[in-house]
Amino acid sequence: MADINIQRKKSSPSPWLLVLLVLLGLAAVGYYVFRADSDQPVPAVPAAPVAEPAPDSTTGAETAPRPTNDPAVAEMATEEPGGSPDELAAFAASDATVPTYGRRGLEVLMATLRPLADRDDLRDATVSEKRDDLTSATSRLQEAGTSLRPGYVAAANLIKAIQQKGYPALENDANELVSQANALSGRTTTPQEQQQVQAFLSRSADIVKVISQPAR
C-alpha cells in the first residue's frame, strides 16, 4: 500500500496586518508630502502701492485767505467788532443808511458794555442780571429777520444798571436812553428809523464814555 505524504498547510497572514501596513504606508507618504510642501518658501505678497499724497496747493503759493462772494461768510470774518467808547462813537457817526448799520451798531455796543459789566467796582447782582438779559436778547442776532429792538432795550437797561451802581449824575441821561430804546422799531429801513437808531447809538456812546472812567 502506498504511503500518503501529508504536509501541513502554511497559515496565511492576517488581513488586518495587511490593512495596518497599508495605513502605515499611506501615513508615511502623507508625512513626506506635507514636509516637502512646508519646506518650499512661501512667495512674498507684493505690498499694495501707496498712493502719492496730493501736492500741497499752498506750497510755493500765496496762502492768504481766498476771497469769497458769499456775504454771510464775508460778515463772519469781522464777527467780533471793536469795543471801546471811541469806536462806538465813531460807528454811531458813520453812514446809517448801510443795511447792516443797526445790527453792527448793536454788536459794537455789546462789545463795549461787556467789560464794563465785569468791572469789579461795577459788578453786582443787578448788573450781572442785566448783562445776562443782553446776552439772551441777542442770542439770535445773526439769524435773518431777527428784531434788533430787544437787544437795544437790554443794552439800555444794562447801562441804566451800571449808572445806578456808581454814576448818579447820569440818571436823567440813562432814563432818556431807556425811553429811546423802547421807542425803536428794531429796523433801519426808513430814514426816520435810521435817524432814531443813530441817535440811540450816539447817546449810548456819550454815556459809555463817562461810565468807562472810574466812578467817583
Side-chain angles (χ1 to χ4, degrees):
M1 184 174 177
D3 294 334
I4 298 174
N5 186 14
I6 300 175
Q7 296 181 353
R8 288 186 177 181
K9 186 178 180 181
K10 296 180 179 181
S11 61
S12 60
S14 173
W16 293 109
L17 180 61
L18 294 177
V19 171
L20 179 61
L21 292 176
V22 171
L23 291 177
L24 289 175
L26 292 176
V29 172
Y31 170 76
Y32 285 109
V33 170
F34 175 77
R35 183 177 180 182
D37 290 341
S38 62
D39 290 341
Q40 294 181 359
V42 178
V45 179
V50 179
E52 292 294 333
D56 188 357
S57 59
T58 61
T59 303
E62 185 178 356
T63 58
R66 297 180 181 178
T68 176
N69 294 327
D70 188 349
V73 176
E75 287 189 2
M76 288 175 62
T78 57
E79 200 56 46
E80 286 295 334
S84 70
D86 291 337
E87 289 172 312
L88 177 60
F91 183 87
S94 64
D95 187 4
T97 63
V98 175
T100 58
Y101 177 84
R103 179 176 63 83
R104 297 296 291 171
L106 180 55
E107 289 175 342
V108 177
L109 179 57
M110 290 167 52
T112 306
L113 291 177
R114 285 193 186 108
L116 293 176
D118 294 335
R119 214 169 71 187
D120 291 338
D121 61 322
L122 297 178
R123 184 171 58 237
D124 63 7
T126 302
V127 172
S128 297
E129 178 185 356
K130 299 304 180 184
R131 187 190 192 282
D132 293 341
D133 291 344
L134 177 59
T135 300
S136 177
T138 56
S139 61
R140 297 184 177 181
L141 195 59
Q142 302 302 325
E143 296 182 8
T146 300
S147 175
L148 303 177
R149 185 177 180 278
Y152 293 142
V153 173
N157 288 332
L158 176 56
I159 292 176
K160 175 66 177 177
I162 295 174
Q163 173 270 314
Q164 291 175 333
K165 176 66 178 177
Y167 301 89
L170 295 176
E171 181 178 0
N172 292 336
D173 294 315
N175 289 336
E176 291 178 4
L177 184 67
V178 172
S179 298
Q180 279 184 282
N182 287 319
L184 296 175
S185 66
R187 299 183 299 272
T188 55
T189 54
T190 67
Q192 181 180 3
E193 291 172 339
Q194 294 165 0
Q195 292 174 2
Q196 289 175 337
V197 171
Q198 190 169 41
F200 169 78
L201 293 176
S202 297
R203 183 179 290 273
S204 298
D206 292 339
I207 298 176
V208 169
K209 283 183 180 180
V210 179
I211 62 179
S212 64
Q213 302 299 321
R216 296 180 181 178

